Amino acid sequence: MASKPEPVFPVWGSGGSSQGAFSLFSRFWPRAATTKDDHQIELALLADSGLKVVSPSASSDQSQPEPSLTSHESATTLATSASADVVAELLDVDIDSEGNYIHTLAIRNNQQASNTTKARHSLVMTHGYFTGLGFFFRNYRELSQVPDWDIYSIDWLGMGRSSRPKYLSKRGESEDARVAHAESFFVESLEEWRQRMGIERMTLCGHSFGGYMSALYALKYPERVEKLVLVSPIGIPEAPPDFEDRLRQGHGPARRRIPPSDNNTPEYESAETTDAAVKAADAAAKTLNEPSRTRKLMFGMAMNLWERNFAPQWVVRTAGPLSRRLIDWYIGRFQWLSETQRTALSAYAHQISMLPGSSESALGDILRPGAFARRPLVDRLGSVAVPTVFMYGANDWVDFTGGEQVIRRIAGRVPTGLFRISQAGHNLHLENPAEFNNVLAGEMRAISSQSTL
């Protein structure tokens, strides 16, 4: 097995013996370390959910193929809360001979009195863009209590704490080639991971970007998917015909504007709204809200950067000493987390965002500016051959009607379902974990009950 290339983790430059302007520059800008940073940040976040992380050798379950698994040097360090009673492993699963690996959290058969038998079902969770497996920290413990299930969660190749191979975009080729190359990068690495882990079939649960890729995996490898759970997946609907033109003109997503009523009560669109009234309202709004020249320039620059595969993580890295403030601002909006949880999640998000760039740049190959897929899933999922369930937040920016469109096309051929989680937006697994966990655990139990018939 080829040796793994040493991951590069950012540390803050001390200036050392450097001279002149470079010494001053290095004091405030992140530089690369040549050794692995310890895993205390990730372990602390996982411990908050009640997990006790140990090395694979500490577990008596030897049913998985050991040669492809490499534990972290620091995984034996106990970073657990007093109430932690769910044993988990952090693994780097080698997926090729070039030293690439998938960072994996494994919770194997914890609900059994003896950890010596292999569970009959596997749940595999895949994270969204700009996140990692740590973002499911409010879900693992509860889901691990479903009898006869193993829980796995991965960092996509080139993201999170997985290896960071160089990603070569094909944006100079046709759009179809560009999309196919990006999709294959993730789908095939997931399949290689499954083979190395010895998992025959799995319930695949993907959030946002992870939902998009999980859906593509299910389309190509349906025999390996027991059920597909898409959590606020991106890339489902078609983009409005004029969407990119509107963005270049400095407008946000197009919305139907409703003329105000005679009283002060807000009105919402109804069947009685006439096209003439909507057009009149659009014309009036355009006159009053014409974007400024600066806004148009900024939107145009953002779209050009998107098409050139610049990613949000690039902005964070470029911010240097301000990078942590950017992440703190983003995570600070998560008011449904405790202050301790926000601090831990922010530290984790900052750490994985500062790692060397890799497959994050594939986002521009897959999505158009405005987060619409270059090859929308609404038609492609019409041929899905596995039970498919959608979950959205009640206040989700991702439109749940995309899932409804897919269900109308496949209903009667495969079992389907759609759930909207109350008091939650796009990060429904974080915002309302109790309801999210209950719905997902219910889907898992439904599979268990069917297999016993």
Side-chain angles (χ1 to χ4, degrees), residues 129 171 178 243-244 246-252 293-312 314-315 361 363-365 367-371 374:
Y129 193 76
R171 62 187 177 89
R178 180 182 185 182
F243 187 74
E244 288 197 32
R246 287 181 57 83
L247 285 180
R248 291 192 183 279
Q249 291 301 314
H251 294 282
R293 181 175 299 181
T294 301
R295 181 180 172 88
K296 291 180 181 179
L297 179 62
M298 291 179 62
F299 270 56
M301 291 177 60
M303 293 182 69
N304 289 334
L305 288 172
W306 184 287
E307 289 291 351
R308 294 173 60 190
N309 295 85
F310 283 88
W314 172 81
V315 176
S361 61
L363 192 68
D365 292 336
L367 302 181
R368 299 183 188 280
R374 297 182 185 277

Side-chain angles (χ1 to χ4, degrees), residues 9-215:
F9 285 75
V11 296
W12 292 104
S14 62
S17 59
S18 302
Q19 301 296 319
F22 182 76
S23 177
L24 179 63
F25 179 81
S26 65
R27 288 179 185 274
F28 299 101
W29 217 261
R31 62 181 173 84
T34 57
T35 58
K36 279 188 178 181
D37 190 66
D38 66 30
H39 287 252
Q40 293 306 311
I41 291 176
E42 184 177 44
L43 290 172
L45 183 64
L46 295 174
D48 187 83
S49 65
L51 298 186
K52 177 180 179 179
V53 181
V54 300
S55 67
S57 60
S59 170
S60 60
D61 183 1
Q62 301 297 322
S63 61
Q64 303 298 340
E66 291 300 324
S68 65
L69 306 183
T70 303
S71 66
H72 295 294
E73 290 85 346
S74 60
T76 55
T77 302
L78 296 184
T80 63
S81 63
S83 61
D85 58 359
V86 174
V87 177
E89 301 167 336
L90 280 177
L91 314 166
D92 282 343
V93 182
D94 295 313
I95 61 170
D96 59 27
S97 60
E98 299 177 2
N100 290 309
Y101 57 90
I102 298 288
H103 187 59
T104 305
L105 177 74
I107 307 174
R108 295 171 175 168
N109 217 21
N110 271 282
Q111 70 286 342
Q112 299 291 340
S114 173
N115 211 21
T116 58
T117 59
K118 186 175 181 180
R120 289 189 296 170
H121 304 285
S122 297
L123 172 69
V124 177
M125 306 180 75
T126 67
H127 63 83
Y129 193 76
F130 207 13
T131 69
L133 64 82
F135 275 67
F136 290 113
F137 78 99
R138 303 188 83 183
N139 315 115
Y140 294 129
R141 188 182 188 282
E142 287 73 14
L143 296 175
S144 71
Q145 303 307 301
V146 180
D148 212 18
W149 280 76
D150 285 339
I151 311 297
Y152 299 95
S153 188
I154 67 166
D155 284 337
W156 289 105
L157 181 62
M159 297 182 179
R161 297 183 70 92
S162 289
S163 62
R164 300 287 179 124
K166 188 174 182 179
Y167 176 80
L168 300 175
S169 171
K170 292 188 178 293
R171 62 187 177 89
E173 301 183 16
S174 68
E175 186 168 77
D176 283 348
R178 180 182 185 182
V179 173
H181 171 71
E183 293 177 348
S184 177
F185 180 93
F186 296 101
V187 170
E188 297 309 320
S189 62
L190 176 58
E191 169 59 10
E192 190 63 37
W193 173 87
R194 182 202 63 79
Q195 293 180 28
R196 299 297 179 101
M197 292 297 292
I199 299 173
E200 289 299 315
R201 298 184 73 203
M202 55 189 169
T203 289
L204 197 52
C205 174
H207 172 246
S208 194
F209 171 88
Y212 180 94
M213 289 301 167
S214 295

